[in-house]
Amino acid sequence: MTPSAFQDERPSAPLGVVWDPDPTCNLSCRHCATPRGHHAQADWRGVHGAIMAAAPFFVSLGGGEPLLDLERTLAIVDGFGAGGIRINLTTNATLVNAAVARALAARKAFLKVTVSIEGGSARGHEAIRGVGTFQQALRGLEHLVAVGLDLSLAATVTRDTVAELPAAAVELAARWGVHHVKLARLKPVGRGMTVFRDAACTPAELQALFLRCLTCDGPDRPVRIEISDPLTALLPSGTGGGCPAGRVLAYVSPDGRCTPCPFWMHPFGRLPEDRLVTCWQRMGTFLEGLAPPPPCRDCTVVARCGGGCPGIFDGPAGIDPQCPRLAVAGP
């Protein structure tokens, strides 16, 4: 995409914001993007106000585990809802009981609640999230289904789970009447950095997964599959949707740093000291001038994939090591 085309297609403010108000969690997942230890946090009320001022269509709340502080999360949801902003909430569901599910269902602001389940079996899930967490998540999912919330399942694709995906996740979703499955690559960020070399998929495994997703997805299927990843541009006939980070979505970390996504290290400002729209404009100026890595410049899909995922770039050349085309051609 040319710079002018990039700016023409990019809105003047983010359409959606992914916000992690608190990195605290009741689990210790081995792939988590949050590093261990103490983490600085911004005043959540100030950040909430700064996001409200930008008037996105929706906000996706994550963590940490947002249901650890249910009172605060409900206050955040109610505040956005009063401003006409819809909410997606991501949870590991281990803290969801009947009362929590009813409290969430009473909020009309929810677009969707996403439950993180790694594949469709205890083996894959608990290798990442800990012993006993699979059944805990399923019990939480049962409560959420019972109150009629619109739900999705989300899985991080690793070498341990890639062979069973997307089929196992789709089967589990269908069993619970869930119509949406999200898949994302493991990123070398936070705790994920320590396991990435051994747990990340090979380019061939990733390409095979994307192709399997094509056969499992479609408007006539009961369960839809979403993969927001630049490398989906490699799918046949340009069927991949690419990555929305920095183009329509912005991310705000627990300490208020504003980036295109949770895996981007360079911030473009900090809320609430900076306005979100100001951070968005800085982000756009930077992304407009960002050239694809040299090995990618003659690739026929570079305008759509942008040279891969910056959250996973490897080495001084800044290439995506999981790109199937680079694996064949060599950098």
Side-chain angles (χ1 to χ4, degrees):
M1 183 182 298
T2 64
S4 59
F6 175 81
Q7 293 289 25
D8 287 346
E9 294 181 11
R10 189 174 185 266
S12 58
L15 303 184
V17 176
V18 179
W19 179 27
D20 293 337
D22 189 338
T24 310
C25 190
N26 61 316
L27 302 183
S28 186
C29 303
R30 60 195 289 258
H31 69 336
C32 184
T34 302
R36 300 182 193 276
H38 175 75
H39 306 284
Q41 290 179 236
D43 169 41
W44 70 264
R45 291 178 180 83
V47 175
H48 179 273
I51 295 173
M52 286 277 292
F57 292 121
F58 68 90
V59 172
S60 294
L61 293 175
E65 171 49 54
L67 299 184
L68 263 178
D69 191 335
L70 180 62
E71 183 177 352
R72 177 178 57 189
T73 294
L74 294 181
I76 290 172
V77 171
D78 289 342
F80 282 131
I85 297 171
R86 306 298 300 278
I87 298 294
N88 297 322
L89 178 79
T90 298
T91 173
N92 60 44
T94 61
L95 300 177
V96 177
N97 55 29
V100 170
R102 286 195 299 269
L104 296 177
R107 270 69 193 176
K108 303 306 181 186
F110 279 112
L111 279 172
K112 196 175 293 290
V113 174
T114 298
V115 176
S116 297
I117 294 187
E118 309 300 340
S121 68
R123 181 193 65 81
H125 184 86
E126 295 183 3
I128 293 170
R129 296 183 176 267
V131 176
T133 56
F134 186 67
Q135 287 303 319
Q136 291 172 9
L138 291 186
R139 283 195 293 271
L141 179 61
E142 183 177 14
H143 289 302
L144 295 170
V145 169
V147 296
L149 283 163
D150 190 6
L151 303 173
S152 65
L153 303 184
T156 300
V157 182
T158 68
R159 198 165 292 175
D160 291 330
T161 60
V162 66
E164 67 179 25
L165 293 172
V170 168
E171 180 182 341
L172 182 67
R175 191 187 317 157
W176 287 95
V178 175
H179 302 294
H180 192 206
V181 168
K182 302 177 183 178
L183 302 179
R185 280 193 277 171
L186 174 68
K187 306 293 196 307
V189 177
R191 278 168 260 173
M193 190 177 297
T194 63
V195 301
F196 184 78
R197 185 175 296 275
D198 295 326
C201 298
T202 65
E205 287 173 328
L206 203 62
Q207 185 175 42
L209 169 68
F210 289 167
L211 291 173
R212 290 197 301 274
C213 288
L214 278 182
T215 65
C216 290
D217 192 26
D220 58 336
R221 301 284 181 142
V223 179
R224 300 302 310 273
I225 301 170
E226 175 188 334
I227 309 176
S228 296
D229 192 298
L231 293 187
T232 58
L234 298 172
L235 290 170
S237 303
T239 49
C243 179
R247 285 167 163 70
V248 295
L249 292 184
Y251 170 71
V252 181
S253 70
D255 62 356
R257 288 176 298 116
C258 184
T259 61
C261 78
F263 311 109
W264 189 292
M265 294 296 98
H266 174 69
F268 294 93
R270 188 184 297 268
L271 307 185
E273 294 84 356
D274 295 312
R275 295 170 64 238
L276 178 54
V277 170
T278 301
C279 300
W280 182 253
Q281 291 167 345
R282 293 172 185 160
M283 197 184 301
T285 300
F286 178 84
L287 293 173
E288 180 184 12
L290 191 64
C296 304
R297 289 176 187 170
D298 294 329
C299 179
T300 56
V301 299
V302 69
R304 295 202 307 278
C305 86
C309 175
I312 205 170
F313 278 178
D314 181 42
I319 63 171
D320 190 326
Q322 291 179 304
C323 174
R325 290 194 176 189
L326 288 178
V328 173

